[in-house]
Amino acid sequence: MAKRVAVLLSGCGVYDGTEIHEASATLVHLSRAGAKVKMFAPNTEQMHVVNHCEGKPAEGKRNVLQESARIARGDVTDLAKLDVKDFDALIIPGGFGVAKNLSDWAVKGKDYTVQPQVEKVIKAFRQAGKPLAMCCISPVLAAKALPGCEITVGQDKECEKWPYAQTAGVMKDMGCTHVNKNVGEAHVDVKNKLVTTSAFMCNAAFHEVFDGIGVMVSELLKLA
């Protein structure tokens, strides 16, 4: 029987929403595996809008659900309507939308909170014994919602290839176990049924990120 997978989006665009290539890679690998996918997003206002040419905030307001519809080709549902019993697994791609719209990590750092609706869904999947997968910056959601979990955001020593490695240190300070992994690898926290991979936390080629997300999806479906 085909696995039913919910994919949680956070807008559209790396600087203020879901990282589009990570979402696309996730969807391609799920499709190839024969999974049935339904996409969700919170029906809330984005923290702000970013001009992606300049990487700077721009005027205007945008809705996370409406922006996520760009990735979902219009077929996206309000996160409030997600019922865990209808799905076998949950995936959350990365992008700054995770740190701005699904949490306030981008503003508060280690003192961040996860958006209540998002935290509720993560905990519900965990309590139901159903697996979760998160890539790029998304594992910070698990670090808060599933205290003490095992995750990877790549490597813990900052360099040109790993510019966001300090995130691993914060996760350790929060009591999580961070496991160093390369971009083409994923880590499986067996106890929490949580699969993570670094994706664009690494300055890697597109195909390397694509392949790493493929490993994440494969490991997730083994647990589903």
Side-chain angles (χ1 to χ4, degrees):
M1 180 181 290
K3 301 299 182 182
R4 304 161 300 169
V5 181
V7 176
L8 174 54
L9 303 175
S10 59
C12 181
V14 58
Y15 297 132
D16 58 13
T18 298
E19 211 297 322
I20 296 170
H21 299 283
E22 292 179 11
S24 177
T26 297
L27 296 171
V28 170
H29 286 296
L30 287 171
S31 176
R32 184 170 286 151
K36 292 184 177 180
V37 176
K38 190 167 184 60
M39 285 170 266
F40 294 86
N43 187 11
T44 56
E45 191 174 290
Q46 289 186 183
M47 187 188 97
H48 63 179
V49 177
V50 174
N51 178 327
H52 278 60
C53 288
E54 300 177 354
K56 298 177 181 179
E59 294 295 323
K61 297 180 179 180
R62 295 189 183 182
N63 177 277
V64 177
L65 180 64
Q66 291 175 6
E67 290 299 296
S68 297
R70 296 175 183 273
I71 293 175
R73 296 175 59 84
D75 189 10
V76 64
T77 301
D78 187 339
L79 181 59
K81 298 180 180 179
L82 192 159
D83 191 332
V84 174
K85 74 174 186 298
D86 293 333
F87 297 94
D88 300 303
L90 172 69
I91 298 181
I92 308 178
F96 276 95
V98 170
K100 296 177 177 180
N101 305 328
L102 303 188
S103 73
D104 54 12
W105 167 270
V107 177
K108 296 185 178 179
K110 65 180 182 179
D111 297 319
Y112 73 109
T113 57
V114 177
Q115 199 250 32
Q117 211 173 38
V118 174
E119 185 169 15
K120 180 180 178 181
V121 166
I122 292 171
K123 289 182 174 180
F125 271 87
R126 174 67 185 92
Q127 290 167 0
K130 296 181 177 182
L132 306 101
M134 304 179 192
C135 64
C136 194
I137 193 64
S138 292
V140 302
L141 302 175
K144 183 69 72 170
L146 307 174
C149 64
E150 300 173 7
I151 58 175
T152 189
V153 290
Q155 300 289 313
D156 59 5
K157 288 184 173 57
E158 191 169 326
C159 61
E160 185 178 354
K161 186 175 181 180
W162 297 97
Y164 309 108
Q166 72 274 11
T167 304
V170 178
M171 299 298 95
K172 293 176 186 177
D173 291 343
M174 292 176 62
C176 294
T177 298
H178 181 269
V179 181
N180 284 343
K181 291 285 184 179
N182 290 320
V183 68
E185 302 175 312
H187 178 69
V188 181
D189 177 348
V190 177
K191 178 182 177 182
N192 288 294
K193 290 189 175 182
L194 173 65
V195 186
T196 52
T197 191
S198 62
F200 280 111
M201 295 295 274
C202 179
N203 272 333
F206 287 98
H207 74 278
E208 293 178 308
V209 172
F210 181 89
D211 291 347
I213 289 175
V215 174
M216 179 190 76
V217 169
S218 178
E219 293 297 330
L220 175 80
L221 294 177
K222 289 177 185 177
L223 296 173

